[in-house]
Every structure is written in structure tokens, then in C-alpha cells.
Amino acid sequence: MLDSARRAVEPELRAAVESLPGSMRRVGRYHFGWEHADGSPARGQSGKAVRPALVLAAVRALGGSPSLAVRAAAAVELTHNFTLLHDDVIDHDVTRRHRATAWTVFGETDAILAGDAFQALAQSLLAKDRHPASSAAAGRLASCVIELCAGQHADAALEARSPSDVTLDECLAMAESKTGALLGCASAMGALYANADGEKVAALDAFGREAGLAFQLIDDIIGIWGDPEHTGKPAGADLLARKKSLPVVAALTSGTSAGTEIARWYSGPPEEMDPVRMASAIEKAGGRDWAQFHAADRMSRAVFQLSQAVPEPEKAGELLALAEFVTRRTY
Amino acid sequence: MLDSARRAVEPELRAAVESLPGSMRRVGRYHFGWEHADGSPARGQSGKAVRPALVLAAVRALGGSPSLAVRAAAAVELTHNFTLLHDDVIDHDVTRRHRATAWTVFGETDAILAGDAFQALAQSLLAKDRHPASSAAAGRLASCVIELCAGQHADAALEARSPSDVTLDECLAMAESKTGALLGCASAMGALYANADGEKVAALDAFGREAGLAFQLIDDIIGIWGDPEHTGKPAGADLLARKKSLPVVAALTSGTSAGTEIARWYSGPPEEMDPVRMASAIEKAGGRDWAQFHAADRMSRAVFQLSQAVPEPEKAGELLALAEFVTRRTY
């Protein structure tokens, strides 16, 4: 399903990136994995296309025609990738999708500008779209970007604070803004493109948000216990970078002795950090179980929201499968 | 006229900034001069409001109702200020409108995110606008942002190159993208909001672009020979930063001995740079006259374009006065 969404959306996405002026086109082609840093063609590793798949599946679930929403799906994917380009600059992340991040190849200036251009390109696609829902979708996407920015701000601010000074509630709120908002927006845009009423659009937004939180929780679990060959990041990279991901914060706030140990590592000198022992301490402090439990809980809330808008199981199947796919990844 | 445009647009602009989440609202209030860095209220020095004034004057010139275009005018001003926030980060500029730039006060992360949110907010305003032209205006503004990004990329790339390796043509093309494009877009959006036909919209775009180039040429002259009390920048700051502004590049490519002298200063050690002697060498090499001549030439092209769309002098008067105001500044 993800493959078919990627195949449906990629021509629109490529055409959009090709329409950019030279400098930003190069960054775009590289970022999406269509080109190597030297400009030679690459096989492409442009991400899992979860968000476009959500748009198209939501349209179908609500009885609309997904082929009319391909442009909207591409706009969502461009928006997602605009935030990735900027987040990597802000977080100084050097690896994404098994490759060097765009700013490490093209410099911060070009990565910032390419991100700006991606945001504009997404709005430009929607403005050119003749579908009656395109204007409402554009407004929804723009509001979502503001929430994504707030989420990224909260994330950067949380990372700068002492590990003892962070609560689970604020981490969950941050994850909802940073990840849930766009998955909610993608689902809601699909509903808009199916001409669904306001209540159904809101239910689809809530579905995407809850599934997004489940997705983030699983992503955080994989970031600690996943196989580096699949994650594309070195083993233990998030822990060594002292990332306050959800399982870590659950462990830090667990009141257990293992939690205290993690707080010591997170505040101590880098040479004392051992990602294998840290991962095991987080597990001992209950961080892994907490994250698994809450991922399942968010998933069931997502399913409930979906059932409000799409009560027929055969119509909801594709969206359910998508949500389950992203939360059942175990690599 | 600028004052009245600012008065008309500011409530919309304030309401938009107030609608942002906390972190970005703070940056926005500071950037627009409504708040000091410590959060206390400030008298406001939010820029000359040239772009919103162009939108409103273009609507009026083409027989539309400016009061219906206030939201669009605010969207243009937000877009302009999004680029200022990012450009200051990219160029490491520390002063704007007599004050410390936002990134020096709030950090690069928050300045980047506030810029991203401003871009989204501009699109959000247009998406909520019920005017029949709002969707076309949104598309035009998004395309314009892509051109602005290309202009900023070209600017940064030009600044990094050797002074002997820069041509006037590429500097003019850069200035058209970086400055002309948004003044053209503002004028064209005004035409759209007056329900003007495609030819008139295109003529207004060309009018704004030509006036924008004239504006940039005058701005560059002021940057070298202007009174620091009015410019808000220390005297000679652009020269000491080796900025390849248009009069400088005109001097560098003049084939005169004064031009050679400037090239030497621009490639030599900082302690040998003397902004007073450099300004006088640029004048001797003909850079000031060249810029004055071309500003006047661009202005007459702007007037021609305007006359195509608005042949009646009494209707064109306000737009003409605006264009002349921005190109007659002599401080």
C-alpha cells in the first residue's frame, strides 16, 4: 500500500521539485534520494510515504476518488520534507535515511532555502489544484505547519533542559505537535477531498493524530532497540546524543533506581555513556513497556476515532492497515 | 500613504501574530517592533509597509475596494518578514531597523521556526479569505516565495565569490529575484483583488518588479552614502562587510583605476579598509552615477508598465507616488 502510494505520488513530487530553480532543485533531488551528492542519478530512498498514503487511503475510505487527491498528497509529502530539511539544520543531525543530511552536503543556507521553497511549493500545488477542497486543504496545511513549528521549538527547548526537569506530559504534547499534527492533517485532507462533512474531517484528524503518537512511540523504541541496518542510524546514536525520547523520559520519571542511573548518564561525561547498558537500564526502568503500552493505547484510540467516521470495516480496512503497519514495525 | 497603509494593515498583522503559539509569537512581536527583547511593550518600528501599500494602491488604481484586500496585504507583509528573519540568520546580520536582529536575541532555531510560521501564516490568511481572488493570490505568493529563495541563494553565492568574478547582469538578476519579485507580486495581487484581467495583472507585476529594482538601486546607494541615523546601520557597514551591492559591482567592473583599487580593498586585509575612502573610490569609478541612472531608467520602465494597465493619470497617481517615494529617498 505504501509502495502504491509512493508510485502514485512520486511523478507529481518529481515534477514539483524539477520546477524549482537550480540551486533548490539540486538540494531537493538529493534530499529525496533521486540524486547522489555529485549529481549522478540514485535509486531513490525517499522515505516511507506514510503521509501521502494516509491522504489517499482517507479519500478512498470516505468514498472519494484518490486519483483526484494525488496533488494534495504530494503537497503533504513536500511539507513533511520541508520540516525534515529545517529540523536537520536545527538539530545538527548528520544522517537521514542512511545518507548524509542535505545541510552537511550543501550547507545550512541552501538547506534552509530549499526547505522554505518546499513549503511554498506545497502551497503552490494546492493553489493550482482545481478540486473544490483544495482551498480548505491549503488552509489546514498552513495551520498544521504552524503547529509543526511549535512542536519543533518544544523539542529543541526540551533537549536543552536538564533530564530531571522534563515531564512525560510535555513530551507527549510535543510529539503530538511534531508528529501527530501532520498525520492528522494528512488524514483530514483526505476526508476533505472526499467531500466529507466537518465531523468526519475532525474524526479523521483525530485518527491521524492518535496513530501519529503511536508511530512516534514505536519510532522511539526502534531508535533505542532497533537494528541500525534498518534504522539508518548508528546503534545507540539517540542515546549518545542524550535525546529525551519518550521511553527515556518514561524511564527518567519512573522513580526507579534504573531511572536514576539513566539520569546520571544523561548528565555525565560522554566517555561514561555505554548505549548497550543504557538501553538495558531504560528497559529495566520500564521505559520500553511504557512506550509499548501507550503505543497500543493510542492505536486503539485511533481505531475508535476512525470507526466514528467510517463505521464499515471493509471501508476502514486500508487506513487501519496503514496505522497498524507503522505501529507494528519491529526492526 | 505609507502611514495609512500601515494603519490599515497593522490590526490584521497583529491579530495574525497573536494567533501564533507562544514561542513564535514572542519572536514575531519583537521582530515587528511591538515588544522589546524582555517582553515589555515597544512603540513599534515595523518597517515602511511598502509592500502592503502597493497591494492597497494597486487595488484602488484598478477600481477595486482596498478594504477587501487588507488581509492579502498583511499576507504579503508577513511573507516579506519571513524572508527577513531567514535572511538575517543566513547572512549573520546583527542589526535591522535600528535593533538587534531576532536570531541574535532568540537564537537561530527560534528565528528559523518563526520565519517558517510567518510563511505558513501568510498562506493561512489567504486560505481563510473569502475574496474570489484569494486562491489565485495564494498561488502567486507561493511562486514568488520560490523566486525569493532563489534570489537569496544567488545573493549568498555571489557574496562568497571573488570580487573580480561577479558580473553586473547576475547582480541585477539577483536583485530582481530578491527584491523585485515581491514588489511585483504585491502589485499583481492588488490587481487580482480588483478583478483585473490577466494582461493588467501582468503589467502590474512588471511595474512592481521595475520599481523594485529602482528601490534596490537606491537602497544600495543609501547603504554606502546614506546617513547612518536614518539607515539604522553603522556608516560603511556594507562596505566593511564587503557586500557586493550594485554600485560596488558597477565600480568593480568599470575598468577604471578606482575600480581596481576597490577590488584590492575587497580582497585585502580588514585593517586596510577605510569606508570613507572606499565610498569615494566607488563614486570616482562611476558606481554612484551608474546606480542613479539605472534607478531612473527602471523607474521609467515601471511608469510605462503602469500606464499600460492604468492609462488614466488620476487613477495611477497613488501607485506612481509610492514608486517615486521609495526611489527618491535620499537620506
Side-chain angles (χ1 to χ4, degrees):
Chain A
M1 188 162 29
L2 288 171
D3 279 344
S4 98
R6 193 188 298 113
R7 269 196 306 277
V9 171
E10 195 165 297
E12 189 74 49
L13 210 51
R14 284 217 188 221
V17 170
E18 290 304 312
S19 77
L20 290 173
S23 57
M24 284 160 295
R25 191 164 62 226
R26 269 181 69 212
V27 180
R29 284 178 184 160
Y30 173 82
H31 173 80
F32 278 115
W34 303 326
E35 251 181 38
H36 296 295
D38 63 5
S40 63
R43 207 131 41 102
Q45 171 66 19
S46 56
K48 285 181 292 290
V50 168
R51 291 155 192 83
L54 273 177
V55 176
L56 301 179
V59 177
R60 207 175 286 122
L62 285 154
S65 166
S67 63
L68 302 179
V70 168
R71 197 169 259 184
V76 170
E77 190 65 357
L78 277 168
T79 302
H80 173 52
N81 283 279
F82 131 60
T83 66
L84 296 182
L85 283 166
H86 282 194
D87 288 359
D88 286 340
V89 169
I90 288 169
D91 301 336
H92 307 291
D93 278 335
V94 296
T95 309
R96 170 163 312 273
R97 298 170 187 153
H98 306 257
R99 304 164 80 226
T101 46
W103 72 269
T104 66
V105 175
F106 299 95
E108 296 193 10
T109 294
D110 283 6
I112 293 172
L113 292 172
D116 290 343
F118 275 24
Q119 184 185 173
L121 200 50
Q123 287 292 340
S124 173
L125 285 185
L126 289 172
K128 282 180 202 144
D129 195 359
R130 292 284 133 246
H131 194 285
S134 66
S135 180
R140 202 156 187 119
L141 190 59
S143 299
C144 177
V145 166
I146 294 170
E147 191 174 351
L148 294 172
C149 291
Q152 173 63 12
H153 168 83
D155 192 11
L158 278 173
E159 291 301 328
R161 271 157 54 192
S162 150
S164 61
D165 190 30
V166 168
T167 69
L168 261 176
D169 277 352
E170 52 187 353
C171 288
L172 284 166
M174 181 274 284
E176 180 171 347
S177 295
K178 199 175 157 169
T179 308
L182 189 53
L183 270 69
C185 182
S187 310
M189 279 172 64
L192 286 170
Y193 270 72
N195 300 315
D197 63 35
E199 257 176 57
K200 285 183 177 158
V201 173
L204 264 286
D205 190 295
F207 159 77
R209 278 177 187 268
E210 298 292 359
L213 259 177
F215 175 68
Q216 188 57 56
L217 284 156
I218 299 294
D219 215 55
D220 285 354
I221 291 173
I222 292 170
I224 300 172
W225 294 280
D227 177 349
E229 235 181 80
H230 286 106
T231 61
K233 286 184 185 178
D238 284 359
L239 292 177
L240 291 172
R242 298 160 203 259
K243 263 198 79 172
K244 298 190 191 78
S245 66
L246 288 159
V248 171
V249 176
L252 284 169
T253 55
S254 64
T256 63
S257 62
T260 315
E261 214 178 346
I262 297 151
R264 211 165 37 233
W265 272 314
Y266 261 54
S267 317
E271 59 273 18
E272 281 177 19
M273 298 180 100
D274 172 349
V276 176
R277 285 176 59 208
M278 287 165 78
S280 132
I282 295 164
E283 197 157 353
K284 224 164 121 190
R288 186 173 189 162
D289 284 345
W290 178 91
Q292 286 285 13
F293 172 82
H294 279 273
D297 177 53
R298 293 294 179 164
M299 224 7 241
S300 67
R301 295 196 210 185
V303 171
F304 173 77
Q305 292 290 350
L306 180 57
S307 73
Q308 299 296 298
V310 189
E312 310 88 334
E314 67 283 6
K315 287 192 183 160
E318 201 183 357
L319 276 173
L320 275 178
L322 251 179
E324 278 177 5
F325 165 80
V326 296
T327 53
R328 285 237 177 117
R329 296 169 303 150
T330 46
Y331 45 75
Chain B
M1 188 161 32
L2 287 172
D3 278 344
S4 99
R6 194 187 298 113
R7 269 196 306 276
V9 171
E10 195 165 297
E12 188 74 50
L13 210 51
R14 284 216 189 219
V17 170
E18 291 303 313
S19 77
L20 290 173
S23 57
M24 284 159 296
R25 189 164 63 225
R26 269 181 68 209
V27 180
R29 285 178 184 160
Y30 173 82
H31 173 80
F32 278 114
W34 303 326
E35 251 182 38
H36 296 294
D38 63 5
S40 62
R43 205 127 46 97
Q45 171 66 19
S46 56
K48 285 182 292 292
V50 168
R51 292 157 193 82
L54 273 176
V55 175
L56 301 180
V59 177
R60 207 175 286 121
L62 285 153
S65 167
S67 63
L68 302 179
V70 167
R71 195 168 262 185
V76 170
E77 190 65 357
L78 277 169
T79 301
H80 174 52
N81 283 279
F82 132 60
T83 66
L84 296 182
L85 282 167
H86 282 194
D87 289 359
D88 286 341
V89 169
I90 288 170
D91 301 336
H92 306 290
D93 278 334
V94 295
T95 310
R96 167 161 315 272
R97 298 170 187 154
H98 307 257
R99 304 164 81 226
T101 47
W103 72 269
T104 66
V105 176
F106 300 94
E108 297 194 8
T109 294
D110 283 5
I112 292 172
L113 292 172
D116 290 342
F118 275 24
Q119 183 184 175
L121 201 50
Q123 287 291 341
S124 174
L125 286 185
L126 289 171
K128 281 179 204 143
D129 195 1
R130 292 283 133 247
H131 194 286
S134 65
S135 179
R140 202 156 186 120
L141 189 60
S143 299
C144 177
V145 166
I146 294 171
E147 191 174 352
L148 295 171
C149 292
Q152 173 63 11
H153 168 84
D155 193 11
L158 279 172
E159 291 301 328
R161 270 156 55 192
S162 150
S164 60
D165 190 30
V166 168
T167 69
L168 261 176
D169 277 351
E170 52 186 353
C171 288
L172 283 166
M174 181 274 283
E176 180 172 346
S177 294
K178 200 176 157 169
T179 308
L182 190 53
L183 272 69
C185 182
S187 310
M189 278 172 64
L192 285 170
Y193 269 73
N195 299 316
D197 63 33
E199 256 176 57
K200 284 183 178 158
V201 174
L204 264 287
D205 189 294
F207 158 77
R209 278 177 187 270
E210 298 292 358
L213 260 175
F215 174 70
Q216 187 56 57
L217 284 155
I218 299 295
D219 214 55
D220 285 353
I221 291 172
I222 292 170
I224 301 172
W225 294 281
D227 177 348
E229 236 181 80
H230 287 105
T231 61
K233 285 183 185 179
D238 284 358
L239 294 177
L240 290 173
R242 298 160 203 259
K243 263 197 82 173
K244 300 188 190 78
S245 66
L246 288 159
V248 171
V249 176
L252 283 169
T253 55
S254 64
T256 62
S257 62
T260 316
E261 215 178 344
I262 296 151
R264 211 165 37 233
W265 272 314
Y266 261 56
S267 317
E271 59 274 16
E272 281 177 20
M273 298 181 101
D274 172 351
V276 175
R277 286 176 59 207
M278 286 164 79
S280 132
I282 295 164
E283 195 155 357
K284 225 164 121 191
R288 186 173 189 162
D289 284 347
W290 178 90
Q292 286 285 14
F293 172 82
H294 280 273
D297 177 51
R298 293 294 178 165
M299 223 9 239
S300 67
R301 296 195 209 186
V303 172
F304 172 77
Q305 293 290 350
L306 180 57
S307 73
Q308 299 295 298
V310 189
E312 310 87 333
E314 68 283 6
K315 288 193 182 159
E318 201 184 356
L319 276 174
L320 275 177
L322 252 180
E324 278 177 4
F325 165 78
V326 295
T327 54
R328 284 234 179 119
R329 295 170 303 151
T330 47
Y331 44 75

